[in-house]
Amino acid sequence: SGFVGSHGDDLMSANNAQWVGFSTTIGPDGDLYVLDWHDADICGGSVLNKETGRIFRISPKENLAKNFAGRYTDLNKMSDHQLVALQTSKSDWHSRRARLILQNRAFKGKLKKYTHEELRVIFEDNANVDYRLRALWALYVTNGIENDDIEEALEDKSEYVRGWAIQMAWENGTPSPAILARFEHMALLDKSPVVHLYLAAALQHLEAGSRWKIAAALTQFGEDDTDHNLPKMIWYGVESLVAKDVDRALGLAAQSKISIIKKFTARRAVDADAISSLVTWFGKQPKADILMLEGMRDGLEGRTDIKTPANWKDTYGKLQRQNEKVKQLSTEIAQYFGDTEAANQFFTTLRDKTAPADKRRKALSTLSAQQRPELLKELPALLNDDALRNDAIHAIASFEDEKLGQQLLAMYPKLNEKDKADAIQTLASRPKYGWTLAQAIKNKTIEKRDIPAGTARQLRRVVGSGFVEIWGPIDQLPSNEIAYKKYRALLTPKAVENADLKKGRGVFLRTCAACHKLYGEGGNIGPDLTGSNRQKVDYLLFNVLEPSGEIQDDYKLVVITTRDGRTYSGNVASENERQVTMRIVGQEAAIINKSNIQSREVMPVSMMPTGLFQNLTDEEVIDIVGYLSRTK
């Protein structure tokens, strides 16, 4: 339904670090015009140098654009007849400019009577679809189209004309009943993915009652399931209908041939407090829809505030008599309802070392999310299980057990780098664990350099003021002037050029990669560094020494403490009326029920803490800057 672009060779390289090219257009001469923001703060939210913006014209050595009569004439002085003629010009710039002038004349009541008729001749008779579309657009913006014209265009031989007719039908208000009936007919019979996209876009602009039949018909084209745009566009039109009529929405999803409509509808029904209706609906189906079961499970993920529906037992029994996949999914769902039998099945899978690793991980994550007390006695052994060690480290954060914290600390020297980083995050998540970690730092059982500055900031909150006595001032650094002077003297061009890149990558993985991605390697919490202005040492220093100098809202530090004493520090990935999904170091995502939140603060500082260089040697600073500043 759309287009796929691919990157070709760069046609031009800028030789100025403040170049920010961000908009292009083709001019009347066929040359490329590029707008250059031209500003020192390329990642900020404000324009620092408002007077330095520039426009560049890029011309080929040989311009293949053909000259024609009137190419450089002032179009404002042309007649309507001449402007209409430009709708069949090879110059797109001239046709667009001509339409704008015609629109302006129509608004002022100065359009000639013959103009619409001349445009209709192009639209109806020209063989070139591009020219026909230009004439259609010109008719539309000059008020030359009636409802009858749109109805006729909805049956046009060109899929692009049919698509634009759909958009024109709803843009100026509610379409007529005749046009809505035509939409329904097209949704059933028109096989063009382009038309499907325009109909899907129209759904969001129609009244709820007018959407059902169109949406149901659009979901019957199985070939659209892998389209880049259509599944989500159809979903955007359907989403608000689910809460209005859950049973009808579930029926639509069950008949759908679009996968995400099935999954998302069941998931949305959970969010709409329709769990009981969803369970009843599944109980009536002779054969469960696996995608819809997956959607229900996904909607329940992370929820600990759910009461078991009265009708769940009967439905669960029916689901357990179906195939293995349905049995597995219904078991996972039952776990969210606190079902002891389901929990026992997960424990059986967890203890079975011959079971597939992904199933054991799923069992562990589900049991830890539910904070099943029986899991406590399983975790010590799982820390020695190579396949599940990292997952067990994460699971420990769901509990607050001093013995587990001490065992994790005792294992720390033998862990690999990733497990060490995740162990530090787990130990920084709860007061008892945090105090154990603080004592280990004090006794130098764990090196201070192993604790990221952001984790130290979290430990100050989790442990209390006593942690500052062990660590020292956390957010206080020497003045920027002193720090800049020190690192500018250290990071000379020669020093950076001779940096050990392999060691620099190691320092990056230890200190930065948990949050930042570089060349596809690292986390997704902070901005991807691959495309940033890393070649400039001053740029790197500004972002390291003053990370809170300019903060976008997405990267402000959010600290949430739950009622059971766990602290999360990170940024908000998504949020609905019941849950907050956070990006935190060491995890893809943490789902927190709002009913479990004791406190939530948005801090006026960046997630990236100050002091990143404090725990590094001078050689390590040189190596990481050398690594970061390379373009390959």
Side-chain angles (χ1 to χ4, degrees):
S1 69
F3 300 89
V4 176
S6 58
H7 199 291
D9 294 334
D10 291 339
L11 62 93
M12 184 184 76
S13 295
N15 61 356
N16 186 313
Q18 294 191 17
W19 160 275
V20 190
F22 72 101
S23 184
T24 61
T25 190
I26 301 295
D29 48 7
D31 289 343
L32 178 69
Y33 288 79
V34 183
L35 203 56
D36 169 24
W37 179 348
H38 202 70
D39 198 87
D41 186 14
I42 66 170
C43 293
S46 59
V47 179
L48 299 184
N49 303 323
K50 296 182 180 180
E51 72 286 351
T52 59
R54 301 179 291 183
I55 298 174
F56 285 80
R57 185 180 71 197
I58 305 174
S59 304
K61 289 181 179 177
E62 181 186 358
N63 194 331
L64 300 180
K66 305 296 182 184
N67 280 327
F68 54 87
R71 182 172 185 181
Y72 298 106
T73 301
D74 182 351
L75 270 63
N76 289 290
K77 297 177 181 178
M78 286 186 173
S79 67
D80 287 6
H81 176 76
Q82 290 172 305
L83 296 174
V84 169
L86 285 174
Q87 299 313 301
T88 59
S89 168
K90 289 185 178 180
S91 169
D92 186 65
W93 184 91
H94 284 80
S95 70
R96 282 187 286 112
R97 182 68 189 168
R99 285 196 299 279
L100 187 66
I101 296 169
L102 288 171
Q103 181 181 16
N104 189 31
R105 290 179 185 176
F107 177 76
K108 294 178 177 178
K110 295 181 178 180
L111 203 68
K112 301 298 182 184
K113 291 182 179 180
Y114 60 77
T115 306
H116 285 157
E117 190 55 42
E118 289 186 347
L119 287 169
R120 285 180 184 280
V121 170
I122 298 173
F123 174 64
E124 292 172 2
D125 298 341
N126 202 291
N128 187 313
V129 176
D130 289 343
Y131 297 166
R132 294 186 64 218
L133 282 171
R134 290 176 180 178
L136 179 64
W137 296 332
L139 284 165
Y140 183 66
V141 298
T142 58
N143 298 317
I145 286 183
E146 303 292 339
N147 263 358
D148 291 346
D149 300 315
I150 290 178
E151 282 191 56
E152 190 174 335
L154 290 171
E155 298 181 0
D156 197 88
K157 61 186 177 182
S158 166
E159 60 185 350
Y160 294 104
V161 171
R162 298 198 301 276
W164 274 99
I166 291 167
Q167 179 167 326
M168 291 172 182
W170 61 256
E171 245 184 5
N172 289 330
T174 304
S176 68
I179 286 180
L180 287 172
R182 172 55 56 186
F183 282 3
E184 293 173 12
H185 182 76
M186 295 174 79
L188 280 169
L189 301 177
D190 198 317
K191 295 183 178 180
S192 165
V194 174
V195 171
H196 295 173
L197 184 61
Y198 277 92
L199 286 168
L203 286 175
Q204 297 175 65
H205 302 275
L206 302 179
E207 294 178 357
S210 301
R211 298 187 204 177
W212 289 102
K213 290 183 180 180
I214 300 170
L218 287 175
T219 62
Q220 295 307 300
F221 293 93
E223 62 269 29
D224 290 343
D225 192 38
T226 55
D227 187 90
H228 181 71
N229 307 305
L230 283 168
K232 288 182 181 177
M233 285 298 294
I234 296 169
W235 169 245
Y236 296 148
V238 169
E239 185 270 338
S240 63
L241 299 178
V242 180
K244 298 182 190 306
D245 191 336
V246 172
D247 288 337
R248 188 172 182 181
L250 293 172
L252 184 153
Q255 298 298 317
S256 172
K257 296 178 182 177
I258 306 291
S259 303
I260 72 167
I261 301 298
K262 291 177 176 288
K263 291 184 73 169
F264 286 10
T265 300
R267 189 178 74 179
R268 184 68 183 90
V270 173
D271 289 337
D273 277 336
I275 297 174
S276 183
S277 298
L278 189 56
V279 169
T280 300
W281 186 85
F282 274 119
K284 294 177 180 178
Q285 307 307 307
K287 185 179 178 182
D289 188 303
I290 287 175
L291 288 170
M292 294 181 72
L293 275 175
E294 289 178 347
M296 182 179 181
R297 176 203 60 193
D298 294 347
L300 292 168
E301 185 179 0
R303 295 281 295 273
T304 57
D305 57 342
I306 300 168
K307 294 181 180 179
T308 306
N311 50 354
W312 171 244
K313 187 174 181 181
D314 290 340
T315 298
Y316 181 57
K318 292 177 181 177
L319 294 171
Q320 285 290 302
R321 291 192 289 273
Q322 298 185 36
N323 63 50
E324 285 302 314
K325 183 65 176 177
V326 172
K327 287 172 66 176
Q328 176 194 337
L329 287 168
S330 59
T331 299
E332 292 178 20
I333 290 168
Q335 174 63 30
Y336 292 112
F337 295 141
D339 189 288
T340 303
E341 181 184 342
N344 289 337
Q345 289 186 39
F346 278 122
F347 276 114
T348 300
T349 301
L350 185 61
R351 293 166 185 145
D352 182 4
K353 292 190 176 182
T354 64
D358 60 332
K359 289 189 175 182
R360 295 182 71 207
R361 289 193 194 98
K362 178 64 180 177
L364 176 56
S365 66
T366 303
L367 292 167
S368 65
Q370 294 293 314
Q371 295 180 304
R372 300 291 300 202
E374 310 98 296
L375 185 60
L376 276 169
K377 63 181 181 182
E378 307 286 342
L379 286 171
L382 294 175
L383 284 172
N384 293 308
D385 188 325
D386 291 343
L388 275 89
R389 181 178 296 113
N390 190 262
D391 301 88
I393 290 170
H394 287 297
I396 288 172
S398 296
F399 304 93
E400 187 158 27
D401 184 276
E402 282 190 75
K403 290 183 179 179
L404 277 175
Q406 290 166 357
Q407 181 183 353
L408 185 56
L409 200 59
M411 292 184 67
Y412 184 83
K414 301 177 182 178
L415 298 176
N416 62 37
E417 289 302 315
K418 175 168 174 42
D419 288 347
K420 280 183 175 180
D422 290 346
I424 293 295
Q425 290 302 317
T426 288
L427 291 170
S429 66
R430 291 180 177 274
K432 288 182 181 178
Y433 295 159
W435 186 246
T436 301
L437 178 57
Q439 294 304 308
I441 296 168
K442 181 179 180 181
N443 300 330
K444 298 188 177 179
T445 307
I446 288 184
E447 292 290 332
K448 190 175 178 181
R449 58 182 285 131
D450 286 2
I451 312 297
T455 305
R457 195 159 60 185
Q458 180 170 322
L459 279 165
R460 178 181 57 189
R461 176 178 293 267
V462 170
V463 175
S465 58
F467 181 70
V468 178
E469 297 175 12
I470 295 170
W471 182 272
I474 291 172
D475 288 328
Q476 295 177 16
L477 290 172
S479 73
N480 282 336
E481 185 178 345
I482 295 173
Y484 273 113
K485 184 176 180 180
K486 171 186 174 180
Y487 290 116
R488 279 186 179 128
L490 178 68
L491 296 166
T492 62
K494 184 177 180 180
V496 173
E497 180 63 30
N498 294 328
D500 188 320
L501 301 188
K502 186 175 180 181
K503 288 182 179 178
R505 177 174 176 271
V507 179
F508 170 80
L509 293 176
R510 189 176 82 232
T511 59
C512 311
C515 296
H516 294 284
K517 195 181 291 290
L518 183 62
Y519 297 116
E521 186 176 40
N524 292 315
I525 295 177
D528 189 326
L529 301 181
T530 309
S532 63
N533 194 21
R534 293 174 287 107
Q535 295 85 352
K536 301 291 182 181
V537 169
D538 274 354
Y539 174 83
L540 291 172
L541 286 179
F542 171 75
N543 282 281
V544 171
L545 300 179
E546 302 181 61
S548 296
E550 175 99 34
I551 325 167
Q552 296 179 29
D553 287 345
D554 286 349
Y555 300 117
K556 285 183 178 177
L557 178 66
V558 178
V559 180
I560 290 179
T561 301
T562 55
R563 298 186 190 283
D564 68 345
R566 183 171 179 179
T567 296
Y568 299 84
S569 295
N571 54 34
V572 175
S574 62
E575 182 172 356
N576 59 36
E577 60 268 27
R578 291 180 184 81
Q579 294 177 317
V580 177
T581 301
M582 289 187 72
R583 288 184 288 257
I584 60 176
V585 176
Q587 285 185 235
E588 285 293 319
I591 300 173
I592 308 165
N593 288 313
K594 287 186 174 179
S595 59
N596 292 340
I597 293 176
Q598 180 174 304
S599 65
R600 172 179 178 174
E601 295 178 72
V602 179
M603 311 299 287
V605 293
S606 168
M607 271 202 60
M608 180 174 168
T610 53
L612 193 68
F613 284 170
Q614 264 192 314
N615 293 326
L616 302 180
T617 64
D618 286 353
E619 289 76 15
E620 286 175 325
V621 171
I622 292 171
D623 291 341
I624 189 174
V625 170
Y627 175 70
L628 285 171
S629 64
R630 294 305 196 275
T631 57
K632 295 183 181 179

